[in-house]
Amino acid sequence: MSGTQAVTPTPVQLPKQTPYAGKPGRKRGPEVGKSPLWVRIVLAVICFAWIVPTIGLAVTSFRTQTDATDSGWWTLFTSPANFTRLTFENYGDLFAQADMDTAFVNTLAITIPATVIPILIAAFAAYAFTFMTFPGRDLLLILIVSLLVVPTQVALVPLLKIFGQLGINGTFPAIWIAHIGFGMPLAVYIIRNYMATLPREVIESAKIDGASHFQTFWKLILPMSTPVLASFAIFQFLWVWNDLLNALIFIGPNNNAPLSIALVSLLGQQGQGWQLLTAGGLFMMLIPILVFLSLQRYFVRGMTAGAVKG
């Protein structure tokens, strides 16, 4: 027997792991703490306060003129019998007293070009400010962005005089030019910040392949910028669709009047007929809600891009 004594290895004690209590087949991810109770309560109160006016608008649009004048909309929920007094009469009177069909078409004719044209022009400008080099580029960008601090109201009278000299007051081109000019600085600023986050390797590869600036912009940058384009489209569409001031100044109550002017004309001098105004307001809200719901998945990505880089 050899004099060498056999050594028995000491077993290694591994740390115990807490068993994962989640669903089987899923890997455990980082734990996310729940928000405090008071935060959720505050958010619930804010959301409720935000939606209450919309609920009141919807309820009043289905009440008769007598009920809407004599009592508040919340009295509807005090008795089940009040629900039997709801009617669609306001919507019938709305289309009978105001030419809502023509106003709806006019609103689309104003909103769609006033949304698409500034986005397209601002996208070209944002590409130039981001990927092209020319003298005075930074100074011109600062000048455009600085227009955001200028109130739009100061430009209304000069524009009205210019449009009067051109003979386009009361026409669609007048309101198009106004909305395009007012929305351009914000569009350039937002889209340029987003394009600055795009990988420049894509531009370099396109240059090596012999692509022109227009081909690079149209086939590469524009599709990659869909989130920010959709985000600004929501802003611009809602602004133009609900606009009343510019519509009154540059269009007026004529055959080209949009929905906002048509609804104001329903309200009498003594405030009578405001139940029709609630019905028209609810009708006017339908398209913006559909636009927001269809594009809302791009909204957060487009607004937060460029805030944090890396």
Side-chain angles (χ1 to χ4, degrees):
M1 184 175 180
S2 173
T4 304
Q5 187 176 2
V7 179
T8 304
T10 304
V12 179
Q13 297 292 332
L14 298 176
K16 294 183 179 181
Q17 295 183 354
T18 304
Y20 175 52
K23 294 183 179 180
R26 289 188 178 182
K27 296 181 179 180
R28 178 169 53 184
E31 295 183 359
V32 179
K34 292 184 178 180
S35 59
L37 179 61
W38 68 270
V39 173
R40 285 178 282 175
I41 293 176
V42 170
L43 289 178
V45 171
I46 293 176
C47 293
F48 179 76
W50 189 271
I51 201 174
V52 161
T54 305
I55 297 175
L57 180 74
V59 171
T60 306
S61 67
F62 293 102
R63 304 185 77 197
T64 62
Q65 182 177 2
T66 303
D67 292 341
T69 305
D70 295 343
S71 60
W73 62 268
W74 52 88
T75 58
L76 175 71
F77 304 99
T78 58
S79 174
N82 293 334
F83 287 90
T84 61
R85 299 175 60 86
L86 298 180
T87 177
F88 288 93
E89 181 181 355
N90 293 333
Y91 290 92
D93 295 340
L94 174 67
F95 284 88
Q97 297 183 21
D99 194 1
M100 298 297 291
D101 298 335
T102 303
F104 181 78
V105 175
N106 292 338
T107 306
L108 289 178
I110 294 173
T111 305
I112 294 177
T115 302
V116 175
I117 295 176
I119 289 178
L120 186 60
I121 298 176
F124 277 109
Y127 175 86
F129 286 127
T130 307
F131 301 109
M132 298 177 66
T133 303
F134 52 89
R137 183 187 66 174
D138 296 337
L139 180 61
L140 182 59
L141 178 61
I142 294 174
L143 180 63
I144 293 176
V145 174
S146 63
L147 294 176
L148 290 172
V149 302
V150 179
T152 59
Q153 288 78 6
V154 301
L156 296 180
V157 174
L159 283 177
L160 190 62
K161 291 183 177 180
I162 294 174
F163 293 160
Q165 295 173 357
L166 297 176
I168 61 174
N169 272 335
T171 63
F172 291 144
I175 193 69
W176 291 342
I177 296 173
H179 281 302
I180 290 171
F182 295 151
M184 193 65 63
L186 181 62
V188 172
Y189 176 73
I190 293 177
I191 299 175
R192 188 264 175 191
N193 285 350
Y194 183 89
M195 288 186 178
T197 64
L198 298 178
R200 293 186 175 270
E201 292 80 5
V202 176
I203 308 299
E204 299 298 331
S205 300
K207 288 182 179 179
I208 294 174
D209 293 338
S212 63
H213 279 296
F214 180 79
Q215 291 174 332
T216 303
F217 168 79
W218 192 258
K219 295 183 179 180
L220 294 177
I221 301 302
L222 200 62
M224 295 171 63
S225 302
T226 300
V228 70
L229 298 180
S231 299
F232 180 76
I234 293 175
F235 279 122
Q236 185 72 358
F237 186 91
L238 295 180
W239 167 256
V240 178
W241 183 273
N242 297 319
D243 174 69
L244 175 61
L245 177 61
N246 294 303
L248 283 173
I249 293 176
F250 299 115
I251 294 293
N254 55 26
N255 295 330
N256 296 328
L259 284 171
S260 56
I261 296 180
L263 293 183
V264 172
S265 64
L266 292 173
L267 192 62
Q269 295 182 355
Q270 304 298 327
Q272 67 272 18
W274 69 279
Q275 77 282 352
L276 300 180
L277 199 63
T278 60
L282 190 64
F283 172 76
M284 191 174 177
M285 290 169 54
L286 296 179
I287 297 298
I289 290 175
L290 293 177
V291 170
F292 181 81
L293 292 179
S294 61
L295 299 178
Q296 60 88 22
R297 62 194 180 106
Y298 298 110
F299 187 76
V300 176
R301 274 200 297 162
M303 289 294 99
T304 58
V308 179
K309 190 173 181 180

